[in-house]
Amino acid sequence: MLVFSTVLLWSAIDPKDQFTWFLEVLPALVAVPLLFFTRHKFPLTSLAYLLILIHCVILMIGGHYTYAEVPLFDWLAELTGTERNNYDKLGHFAQGFVPTLLARELFIRLEIVKKGSWCNFLAVCFSLAFSAFYELIEWWVALLTGEDAEAFLGTQGYIWDTQSDMGMALVGAITYLIVASRFHNKQLQAKLTG
């Protein structure tokens, strides 16, 4: 909570655009109370809490600068000779990685789907559905607010931005399965037997 609160406070101080900051940080502001009130009844694994925190930090940094203007990623764009600041791709990678972990954790612990191939497949499907729904939210906000939504959409003139965002979520979901699912399984096993 200390890390979350510190980054949130920093993020809220003189952001590039107040409305964009609110839109970008809103998922973190919704998640923390939800996690707080369920922590005794249904505590998640420590890996889940850590990755949710990291994802929240990504959201808060993107909200402070807007995703298209995060300084480190401007520097990386210059270094690699590209024109586009790709910080949003990091956010969408996390948008695949973290929800896949959470979906698997819920599927397994609530005995919705047994651990294995179907569980992994359905967790990835959940993440892709979540990513597509988030893209719809961005579109609806753009329709409702007009020009003010450009910083929230963060397309930076790239016509395939929506598709590549969902593609990065898929990459994040698959990366979780390859890199972290075995470690996560150990924590899940401890929750199930503990």
Side-chain angles (χ1 to χ4, degrees), residues 29-81:
L29 297 175
V30 170
V32 166
L34 178 67
L35 294 172
F36 179 79
F37 289 115
T38 60
R39 74 188 189 285
H40 294 299
K41 190 172 184 173
F42 195 82
L44 299 174
T45 59
S46 57
L47 180 62
Y49 285 125
L50 173 65
L51 291 172
I52 290 168
L53 174 63
I54 291 169
H55 194 186
C56 288
V57 168
I58 290 169
L59 294 172
M60 291 183 274
I61 292 170
H64 182 78
Y65 293 109
T66 77
Y67 277 76
E69 298 183 33
V70 173
L72 174 62
F73 281 71
D74 279 342
W75 177 77
L76 288 172
E78 285 179 28
L79 187 68
T80 59

Side-chain angles (χ1 to χ4, degrees), residues 4 10 12-14 19 32 38 45 66 73-74 82 94-95 100 110 147 153 160 166-167 173 189:
F4 179 91
W10 164 82
I13 296 171
D14 196 29
F19 182 63
V32 166
T38 60
T45 59
T66 77
F73 281 71
D74 279 342
T82 59
Q95 192 181 67
T100 302
L110 297 174
E147 291 179 25
L153 286 172
W160 302 110
M166 290 185 286
Q189 190 60 40

Side-chain angles (χ1 to χ4, degrees), residues 148 152 162:
D148 294 339
F152 181 55
T162 299

Side-chain angles (χ1 to χ4, degrees), residues 98-124 126-127 173 176-177 180-186 188:
V98 177
T100 302
L101 174 139
L102 292 173
R104 270 187 89 248
E105 183 156 333
L106 293 174
F107 290 164
I108 293 166
R109 290 182 59 198
L110 297 174
E111 299 178 350
I112 297 168
V113 183
K114 291 182 181 179
K115 190 174 11 178
S117 299
W118 276 107
C119 183
N120 294 343
F121 173 74
L122 292 173
V124 170
F126 172 83
S127 291
Y176 157 74
L177 292 175
S181 63
R182 287 186 185 175
F183 177 72
H184 189 215
N185 285 342
K186 290 177 185 174
L188 286 171

Side-chain angles (χ1 to χ4, degrees), residues 2-24:
L2 179 63
V3 171
F4 179 91
S5 301
T6 302
V7 177
L8 179 64
L9 179 63
W10 164 82
S11 177
I13 296 171
D14 196 29
K16 172 89 173 165
D17 178 83
Q18 193 69 43
F19 182 63
T20 301
W21 175 85
F22 174 73
L23 292 173
E24 298 295 1

